């Protein structure tokens, strides 16, 4: 990459200016933002690189990032397919083909069902990826809801939180509980943006809940 690559610097600055910090999964920050979007150090943190490393990329320094680092930057900046291709081209890195997949089925280890059933004095929920409910003991079913009675694809804590009436009457701090469920999903998306089941869940919640993105 040539020195003083203004095109790359301009692209990175524009891309991070268009990212909403909250939607990127960053915690609330009381500091005043002088410009919209993410700060350099926030992009670096989301991409798993140092702030100095990212700053040098924006400055067009002669750096040759690995394909993995470039993919992490694409995810941190929320780039679409065209943006991903353009960034890879600017950096001279071959883009990996886009993947649409769902990971393997989630299963509990043998004996775990018996263990949570034995903890009868406290409600116990076992959550898997994207907050799927994998198991619940008797107390949890009585306090929350009987997830076993739902279709398998509906047994999800975030889905129940936003699309059912029960949580709103159950939790005095429903907004805080809902916000925590959203944060968990954001971490899932950040960890594997191509997981189809997670993306389908997020799309469903955005389509059916006016509160999910707020």
């Amino acid at each position: 990459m040539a020195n003083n690559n203004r095109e790359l610097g301009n692209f990175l600055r524009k891309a991070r200016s268009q990212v909403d910090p909250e939607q990127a999964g960053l915690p609330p920050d009381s500091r005043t933002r002088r410009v919209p979007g993410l700060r350099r150090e926030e992009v670096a943190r989301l991409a798993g690189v140092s702030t100095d490393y990212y700053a040098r990329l924006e400055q067009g320094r002669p750096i040759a990032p690995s394909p993995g680092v470039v993919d992490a930057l694409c995810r941190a900046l929320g780039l679409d397919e065209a943006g991903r291709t353009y960034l890879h081209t600017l950096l001279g890195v071959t883009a990996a083909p886009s993947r649409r997949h769902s990971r393997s089925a989630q299963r509990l280890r043998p004996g775990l069902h018996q263990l949570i059933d034995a903890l009868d004095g406290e409600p116990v929920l076992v959550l898997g990826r994207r907050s799927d409910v994998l198991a619940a003991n008797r107390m949890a079913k009585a306090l929350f809801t009987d997830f076993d009675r739902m279709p398998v694809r509906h047994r999800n804590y975030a889905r129940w939180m936003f699309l059912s009436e029960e949580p709103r009457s159950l939790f005095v701090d429903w907004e805080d509980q809902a916000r925590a469920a959203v944060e968990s999903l954001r971490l899932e998306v950040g960890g594997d943006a191509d997981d189809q089941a997670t993306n389908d869940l997020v799309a469903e919640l955005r389509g059916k809940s006016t509160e999910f993105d707020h």
Side-chain angles (χ1 to χ4, degrees):
M1 183 175 62
N3 286 331
N4 302 316
N5 191 329
R6 294 183 180 179
E7 190 174 4
L8 173 63
N10 290 338
F11 177 78
L12 290 173
R13 283 189 290 273
K14 182 178 180 181
R16 68 180 170 90
S17 73
Q18 295 175 343
V19 180
D20 184 294
E22 186 176 344
Q23 291 187 356
L26 293 171
D29 190 337
S30 59
R31 293 181 294 169
T32 302
R33 292 183 180 271
R34 299 178 181 177
V35 294
L38 299 178
R39 303 183 181 96
R40 281 180 174 178
E41 63 266 26
E42 291 171 333
V43 176
R45 186 165 72 231
L46 289 170
V49 299
S50 71
T51 301
D52 178 66
Y53 184 93
Y54 176 75
R56 284 185 286 149
L57 277 176
E58 272 201 8
Q59 294 163 1
R61 300 288 185 86
I63 301 174
S66 68
V69 168
V70 181
D71 287 340
L73 286 170
C74 290
R75 289 193 297 270
L77 295 169
L79 299 180
D80 59 16
E81 195 63 30
R84 292 171 62 91
T85 301
Y86 186 58
L87 181 59
H88 279 82
T89 300
L90 287 174
L91 291 168
V93 176
T94 301
S98 177
R99 297 175 293 121
R100 293 175 65 84
H101 70 277
S102 287
R103 289 173 282 181
S104 58
Q106 305 175 82
R107 295 183 176 87
L108 296 183
R109 290 178 297 179
L112 191 54
H113 284 285
Q114 291 87 344
L115 174 62
I116 67 171
D117 285 340
L119 300 172
D120 200 44
E122 297 288 339
V124 178
L125 284 177
V126 179
L127 303 184
R129 297 190 298 270
R130 77 191 67 89
S131 71
D132 285 347
V133 178
L134 304 184
N137 67 356
R138 182 184 63 83
M139 183 75 76
K141 293 176 182 179
L143 178 60
F144 299 111
T145 193
D146 190 348
F147 289 96
D148 289 343
R149 293 181 177 272
M150 299 180 181
V152 173
R153 65 176 299 271
H154 291 176
R155 295 174 191 173
N156 179 274
Y157 184 77
R159 190 182 191 281
W160 173 71
M161 182 67 67
F162 282 96
L163 302 186
S164 299
E165 291 300 321
E166 295 167 301
R168 299 169 192 273
S169 57
L170 175 63
F171 295 109
V172 176
D173 58 344
W174 179 84
E175 291 185 357
D176 292 336
Q177 296 292 333
R179 189 176 299 112
V182 172
E183 293 299 326
S184 294
L185 282 181
R186 284 175 178 161
L187 289 174
E188 283 281 340
V189 173
D192 187 355
D194 297 312
D195 182 62
Q196 193 57 41
T198 304
N199 291 333
D200 288 346
L201 174 62
V202 171
E204 180 184 19
L205 293 178
R206 282 177 170 164
K208 294 181 179 180
S209 171
T210 58
E211 296 158 304
F212 180 70
D213 276 330
H214 297 286

